[in-house]
């Protein structure tokens, strides 16, 4: 979604991002202070001076918006490589969504909240992220009813 995010989609006054996803579905999400500060820092210090509407641009001339999410995935993969972290099986842009969802769940967010933030149409999609959080699953696991016969 950030590939197509335009400067006009940021409501700085109310701290809201207007995002347009699949099927031109519009969603409004809160813009946390730290994220807003990071975007503003990028706009003021790193974004090339241009009248292009998209927020994030290629930093080498000719300045242009990213053409697809592949560019974002490549940036994420490059950042992971530079950090020295052992690369996970998937280290593209989806890793950011997965990490954010897992961290929100570990911090006590409900599946409904995470589903809303990830803009999933159903909570079933969000359940995928909960399945990999074994410490959280251990907290909610229930004993099997009855005696085991095996």
């Amino acid at each position: 979604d950030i590939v197509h995010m335009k400067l006009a989609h940021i409501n700085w006054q109310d701290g809201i991002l207007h995002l347009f996803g699949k099927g031109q579905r519009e969603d409004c999400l809160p813009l946390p202070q730290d994220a807003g500060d990071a975007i503003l820092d990028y706009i003021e210090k790193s974004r090339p001076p241009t009248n292009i509407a998209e927020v994030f641009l290629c930093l080498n001339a000719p300045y242009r918006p990213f053409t697809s999410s592949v560019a974002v995935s490549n940036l994420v993969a490059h950042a992971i490589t530079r950090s020295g972290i052992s690369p996970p099986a998937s280290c593209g842009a989806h890793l950011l969504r997965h990490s954010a969802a897992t961290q929100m769940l570990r911090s006590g967010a409900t599946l409904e909240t995470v589903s809303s933030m990830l803009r999933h149409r159903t909570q079933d999609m969000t359940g995928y992220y909960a399945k990999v959080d074994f410490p959280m699953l251990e907290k909610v696991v229930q004993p099997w009813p009855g005696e085991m016969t095996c």
Side-chain angles (χ1 to χ4, degrees), residues 77-148:
H78 184 67
I80 288 172
T81 300
R82 281 191 346 225
S83 73
I85 297 171
S86 298
S90 169
C91 61
H94 187 74
L95 177 65
L96 298 179
R97 289 175 59 84
H98 185 86
S99 298
T102 302
Q103 185 58 42
M104 286 191 293
L105 288 168
R106 285 183 180 156
S107 298
T110 64
L111 276 178
E112 181 180 11
T113 299
V114 176
S115 181
S116 175
M117 292 303 293
L118 295 180
R119 301 171 53 224
H120 287 156
R121 293 185 193 272
T122 68
Q123 286 185 28
D124 291 342
M125 285 293 300
T126 312
Y128 166 78
Y129 297 102
K131 286 191 269 186
V132 297
D133 191 349
F134 293 111
M136 185 184 84
L137 288 174
E138 288 173 351
K139 291 178 185 176
V140 299
V141 70
Q142 298 291 314
W144 190 259
E147 293 187 31
M148 294 184 61

Side-chain angles (χ1 to χ4, degrees), residues 31-100:
L31 178 61
Q33 185 69 47
D34 57 346
D37 290 345
I39 292 171
L40 188 58
D41 186 62
Y42 162 74
I43 290 169
E44 292 179 342
K45 298 177 182 172
S46 301
R47 187 177 187 273
T50 180
N51 291 330
I52 296 173
E54 283 78 9
V55 175
F56 299 104
L57 307 174
C58 296
L59 295 179
N60 298 320
Y63 306 126
R64 62 202 178 284
F66 296 127
T67 55
S68 72
S69 62
V70 172
V72 177
S73 290
N74 289 340
L75 288 170
V76 171
H78 184 67
I80 288 172
T81 300
R82 281 191 346 225
S83 73
I85 297 171
S86 298
S90 169
C91 61
H94 187 74
L95 177 65
L96 298 179
R97 289 175 59 84
H98 185 86
S99 298

